[in-house]
Amino acid sequence: MADKKKKKNKSKGITIFLIIGLLIAFFLLSVGYIVFEFNRISYFNLSLKNDWRGYLAYITKNIPVVNDMIKYEYLEIGNPIANQKDIIEQRIKYMEDQNLQLEAKKEELNKLMNDISIQTEELTKQKLELEKNQQDFQKQLDEFNDYNSRINKLSAWLSSSTPQEIANALIRDEVSVQLIVDSFYTMDSGVVAEILQAIAQVNPEKAAKIIATLGEKRGE
């Protein structure tokens, strides 16, 4: 008798355990289904978390006085696929506009780079021309300084020479009139007069050319 009662209690415990297990399983399935439905509702651009005010307005719309304070309006969901399509099309259009803007900026940048390249070539050309002009000027300056140095030395030699003796050398064809004139310009006028007088005594024609050239120089 005791064994039979014990078996009966054991069977009852198993049954209760199974019932509790089924209830827990049903609860878990229900929660999972509710979450699943919430996710589906969110696909229609609805949010239960943020729409509680709308729910309160809905349940109080028929209560006097309160319904004047809270207004409930039905929200039309529309076609979610069409909504998503519009969003995608807007996004594509935005990306296309951005791409056009980038292409325009790229074209402007290429034009700017081309202008910079042309200006760089022009500046390089001008720099080379300037360097060449500087080299030519420096060459002419060196030649001028060298010529002046030789003229000064020649003038010193002429000044220290005897006019009658130096005149015989100056009348030779190897000595140009221009060289004599340039030397005379750096010498004392008294010494120049004595040398000219000595040249005139041995070669009046060359003396006349020297005097004429001296006059031309003074007239410039």
Side-chain angles (χ1 to χ4, degrees), residues 4 20-21 35 52 97 101 182 197 208 220:
K4 186 176 181 180
I20 293 173
V35 172
W52 59 272
D97 293 340
Q101 293 180 7
D182 289 340
Q197 185 177 3
E220 290 181 356

mmCIF file with all atom_site columns, all heavy atoms in Angstrom, residues 4 20-21 35 52 97 101 182 197 208 220:
data_model
loop_
_atom_site.group_PDB
_atom_site.id
_atom_site.type_symbol
_atom_site.label_atom_id
_atom_site.label_alt_id
_atom_site.label_comp_id
_atom_site.label_asym_id
_atom_site.label_entity_id
_atom_site.label_seq_id
_atom_site.pdbx_PDB_ins_code
_atom_site.Cartn_x
_atom_site.Cartn_y
_atom_site.Cartn_z
_atom_site.occupancy
_atom_site.B_iso_or_equiv
_atom_site.pdbx_formal_charge
_atom_site.auth_seq_id
_atom_site.auth_comp_id
_atom_site.auth_asym_id
_atom_site.auth_atom_id
_atom_site.pdbx_PDB_model_num
ATOM 1  N N   . LYS A 1 4   ? 2.548   1.719   -3.379  1.00 0.00 ? 4   LYS A N   1
ATOM 2  C CA  . LYS A 1 4   ? 1.611   2.223   -4.384  1.00 0.00 ? 4   LYS A CA  1
ATOM 3  C C   . LYS A 1 4   ? 1.417   3.723   -4.227  1.00 0.00 ? 4   LYS A C   1
ATOM 4  O O   . LYS A 1 4   ? 1.376   4.480   -5.207  1.00 0.00 ? 4   LYS A O   1
ATOM 5  C CB  . LYS A 1 4   ? 0.286   1.485   -4.232  1.00 0.00 ? 4   LYS A CB  1
ATOM 6  C CG  . LYS A 1 4   ? -0.715  1.817   -5.324  1.00 0.00 ? 4   LYS A CG  1
ATOM 7  C CD  . LYS A 1 4   ? -1.961  0.967   -5.157  1.00 0.00 ? 4   LYS A CD  1
ATOM 8  C CE  . LYS A 1 4   ? -2.953  1.286   -6.279  1.00 0.00 ? 4   LYS A CE  1
ATOM 9  N NZ  . LYS A 1 4   ? -4.195  0.460   -6.134  1.00 0.00 ? 4   LYS A NZ  1
ATOM 10 N N   . ILE A 1 20  ? 5.164   22.411  -15.643 1.00 0.00 ? 20  ILE A N   1
ATOM 11 C CA  . ILE A 1 20  ? 5.971   23.626  -15.439 1.00 0.00 ? 20  ILE A CA  1
ATOM 12 C C   . ILE A 1 20  ? 6.920   23.831  -16.616 1.00 0.00 ? 20  ILE A C   1
ATOM 13 O O   . ILE A 1 20  ? 7.117   24.952  -17.111 1.00 0.00 ? 20  ILE A O   1
ATOM 14 C CB  . ILE A 1 20  ? 6.745   23.535  -14.114 1.00 0.00 ? 20  ILE A CB  1
ATOM 15 C CG1 . ILE A 1 20  ? 5.760   23.559  -12.933 1.00 0.00 ? 20  ILE A CG1 1
ATOM 16 C CG2 . ILE A 1 20  ? 7.751   24.687  -13.994 1.00 0.00 ? 20  ILE A CG2 1
ATOM 17 C CD1 . ILE A 1 20  ? 6.412   23.317  -11.585 1.00 0.00 ? 20  ILE A CD1 1
ATOM 18 N N   . GLY A 1 21  ? 7.528   22.735  -17.078 1.00 0.00 ? 21  GLY A N   1
ATOM 19 C CA  . GLY A 1 21  ? 8.432   22.829  -18.228 1.00 0.00 ? 21  GLY A CA  1
ATOM 20 C C   . GLY A 1 21  ? 7.717   23.322  -19.465 1.00 0.00 ? 21  GLY A C   1
ATOM 21 O O   . GLY A 1 21  ? 8.245   24.151  -20.219 1.00 0.00 ? 21  GLY A O   1
ATOM 22 N N   . VAL A 1 35  ? 9.056   39.357  -29.640 1.00 0.00 ? 35  VAL A N   1
ATOM 23 C CA  . VAL A 1 35  ? 10.252  40.055  -30.139 1.00 0.00 ? 35  VAL A CA  1
ATOM 24 C C   . VAL A 1 35  ? 10.299  40.013  -31.657 1.00 0.00 ? 35  VAL A C   1
ATOM 25 O O   . VAL A 1 35  ? 10.628  41.005  -32.328 1.00 0.00 ? 35  VAL A O   1
ATOM 26 C CB  . VAL A 1 35  ? 11.528  39.428  -29.534 1.00 0.00 ? 35  VAL A CB  1
ATOM 27 C CG1 . VAL A 1 35  ? 12.779  40.014  -30.194 1.00 0.00 ? 35  VAL A CG1 1
ATOM 28 C CG2 . VAL A 1 35  ? 11.567  39.651  -28.030 1.00 0.00 ? 35  VAL A CG2 1
ATOM 29 N N   . TRP A 1 52  ? 4.539   55.135  -27.302 1.00 0.00 ? 52  TRP A N   1
ATOM 30 C CA  . TRP A 1 52  ? 3.636   54.952  -26.150 1.00 0.00 ? 52  TRP A CA  1
ATOM 31 C C   . TRP A 1 52  ? 2.703   56.146  -25.982 1.00 0.00 ? 52  TRP A C   1
ATOM 32 O O   . TRP A 1 52  ? 1.575   55.999  -25.511 1.00 0.00 ? 52  TRP A O   1
ATOM 33 C CB  . TRP A 1 52  ? 4.447   54.725  -24.870 1.00 0.00 ? 52  TRP A CB  1
ATOM 34 C CG  . TRP A 1 52  ? 5.381   55.861  -24.527 1.00 0.00 ? 52  TRP A CG  1
ATOM 35 C CD1 . TRP A 1 52  ? 6.640   56.032  -24.936 1.00 0.00 ? 52  TRP A CD1 1
ATOM 36 C CD2 . TRP A 1 52  ? 5.067   56.984  -23.687 1.00 0.00 ? 52  TRP A CD2 1
ATOM 37 N NE1 . TRP A 1 52  ? 7.175   57.183  -24.432 1.00 0.00 ? 52  TRP A NE1 1
ATOM 38 C CE2 . TRP A 1 52  ? 6.220   57.796  -23.645 1.00 0.00 ? 52  TRP A CE2 1
ATOM 39 C CE3 . TRP A 1 52  ? 3.937   57.382  -22.963 1.00 0.00 ? 52  TRP A CE3 1
ATOM 40 C CZ2 . TRP A 1 52  ? 6.280   58.968  -22.927 1.00 0.00 ? 52  TRP A CZ2 1
ATOM 41 C CZ3 . TRP A 1 52  ? 3.991   58.548  -22.237 1.00 0.00 ? 52  TRP A CZ3 1
ATOM 42 C CH2 . TRP A 1 52  ? 5.154   59.343  -22.226 1.00 0.00 ? 52  TRP A CH2 1
ATOM 43 N N   . ASP A 1 97  ? 25.090  62.939  -57.398 1.00 0.00 ? 97  ASP A N   1
ATOM 44 C CA  . ASP A 1 97  ? 25.387  64.377  -57.298 1.00 0.00 ? 97  ASP A CA  1
ATOM 45 C C   . ASP A 1 97  ? 26.781  64.601  -56.720 1.00 0.00 ? 97  ASP A C   1
ATOM 46 O O   . ASP A 1 97  ? 27.534  65.467  -57.190 1.00 0.00 ? 97  ASP A O   1
ATOM 47 C CB  . ASP A 1 97  ? 24.336  65.076  -56.427 1.00 0.00 ? 97  ASP A CB  1
ATOM 48 C CG  . ASP A 1 97  ? 22.961  65.085  -57.083 1.00 0.00 ? 97  ASP A CG  1
ATOM 49 O OD1 . ASP A 1 97  ? 22.898  64.910  -58.318 1.00 0.00 ? 97  ASP A OD1 1
ATOM 50 O OD2 . ASP A 1 97  ? 21.959  65.258  -56.357 1.00 0.00 ? 97  ASP A OD2 1
ATOM 51 N N   . GLN A 1 101 ? 29.977  66.433  -58.511 1.00 0.00 ? 101 GLN A N   1
ATOM 52 C CA  . GLN A 1 101 ? 30.743  67.501  -57.871 1.00 0.00 ? 101 GLN A CA  1
ATOM 53 C C   . GLN A 1 101 ? 32.228  67.149  -57.811 1.00 0.00 ? 101 GLN A C   1
ATOM 54 O O   . GLN A 1 101 ? 33.094  68.000  -58.050 1.00 0.00 ? 101 GLN A O   1
ATOM 55 C CB  . GLN A 1 101 ? 30.207  67.765  -56.466 1.00 0.00 ? 101 GLN A CB  1
ATOM 56 C CG  . GLN A 1 101 ? 28.798  68.350  -56.446 1.00 0.00 ? 101 GLN A CG  1
ATOM 57 C CD  . GLN A 1 101 ? 28.293  68.588  -55.030 1.00 0.00 ? 101 GLN A CD  1
ATOM 58 O OE1 . GLN A 1 101 ? 29.032  68.434  -54.059 1.00 0.00 ? 101 GLN A OE1 1
ATOM 59 N NE2 . GLN A 1 101 ? 27.028  68.958  -54.905 1.00 0.00 ? 101 GLN A NE2 1
ATOM 60 N N   . ASP A 1 182 ? 91.557  107.047 -75.915 1.00 0.00 ? 182 ASP A N   1
ATOM 61 C CA  . ASP A 1 182 ? 91.111  106.548 -74.604 1.00 0.00 ? 182 ASP A CA  1
ATOM 62 C C   . ASP A 1 182 ? 92.187  106.763 -73.546 1.00 0.00 ? 182 ASP A C   1
ATOM 63 O O   . ASP A 1 182 ? 91.883  107.067 -72.381 1.00 0.00 ? 182 ASP A O   1
ATOM 64 C CB  . ASP A 1 182 ? 90.763  105.061 -74.705 1.00 0.00 ? 182 ASP A CB  1
ATOM 65 C CG  . ASP A 1 182 ? 89.490  104.825 -75.506 1.00 0.00 ? 182 ASP A CG  1
ATOM 66 O OD1 . ASP A 1 182 ? 88.694  105.779 -75.657 1.00 0.00 ? 182 ASP A OD1 1
ATOM 67 O OD2 . ASP A 1 182 ? 89.290  103.685 -75.984 1.00 0.00 ? 182 ASP A OD2 1
ATOM 68 N N   . GLN A 1 197 ? 101.737 117.352 -79.878 1.00 0.00 ? 197 GLN A N   1
ATOM 69 C CA  . GLN A 1 197 ? 102.650 118.223 -80.627 1.00 0.00 ? 197 GLN A CA  1
ATOM 70 C C   . GLN A 1 197 ? 103.788 117.404 -81.241 1.00 0.00 ? 197 GLN A C   1
ATOM 71 O O   . GLN A 1 197 ? 104.174 117.620 -82.400 1.00 0.00 ? 197 GLN A O   1
ATOM 72 C CB  . GLN A 1 197 ? 103.204 119.305 -79.708 1.00 0.00 ? 197 GLN A CB  1
ATOM 73 C CG  . GLN A 1 197 ? 104.066 120.338 -80.425 1.00 0.00 ? 197 GLN A CG  1
ATOM 74 C CD  . GLN A 1 197 ? 104.541 121.428 -79.488 1.00 0.00 ? 197 GLN A CD  1
ATOM 75 O OE1 . GLN A 1 197 ? 104.269 121.391 -78.289 1.00 0.00 ? 197 GLN A OE1 1
ATOM 76 N NE2 . GLN A 1 197 ? 105.243 122.421 -80.035 1.00 0.00 ? 197 GLN A NE2 1
ATOM 77 N N   . ALA A 1 208 ? 95.971  114.762 -86.625 1.00 0.00 ? 208 ALA A N   1
ATOM 78 C CA  . ALA A 1 208 ? 94.677  115.367 -86.938 1.00 0.00 ? 208 ALA A CA  1
ATOM 79 C C   . ALA A 1 208 ? 93.533  114.400 -86.608 1.00 0.00 ? 208 ALA A C   1
ATOM 80 O O   . ALA A 1 208 ? 92.480  114.800 -86.089 1.00 0.00 ? 208 ALA A O   1
ATOM 81 C CB  . ALA A 1 208 ? 94.630  115.762 -88.406 1.00 0.00 ? 208 ALA A CB  1
ATOM 82 N N   . GLU A 1 220 ? 79.905  113.959 -77.249 1.00 0.00 ? 220 GLU A N   1
ATOM 83 C CA  . GLU A 1 220 ? 78.891  112.955 -76.898 1.00 0.00 ? 220 GLU A CA  1
ATOM 84 C C   . GLU A 1 220 ? 78.329  113.212 -75.513 1.00 0.00 ? 220 GLU A C   1
ATOM 85 O O   . GLU A 1 220 ? 79.001  113.697 -74.655 1.00 0.00 ? 220 GLU A O   1
ATOM 86 C CB  . GLU A 1 220 ? 79.518  111.555 -76.956 1.00 0.00 ? 220 GLU A CB  1
ATOM 87 C CG  . GLU A 1 220 ? 79.839  111.135 -78.391 1.00 0.00 ? 220 GLU A CG  1
ATOM 88 C CD  . GLU A 1 220 ? 80.429  109.745 -78.445 1.00 0.00 ? 220 GLU A CD  1
ATOM 89 O OE1 . GLU A 1 220 ? 80.656  109.162 -77.366 1.00 0.00 ? 220 GLU A OE1 1
ATOM 90 O OE2 . GLU A 1 220 ? 80.672  109.242 -79.544 1.00 0.00 ? 220 GLU A OE2 1
#
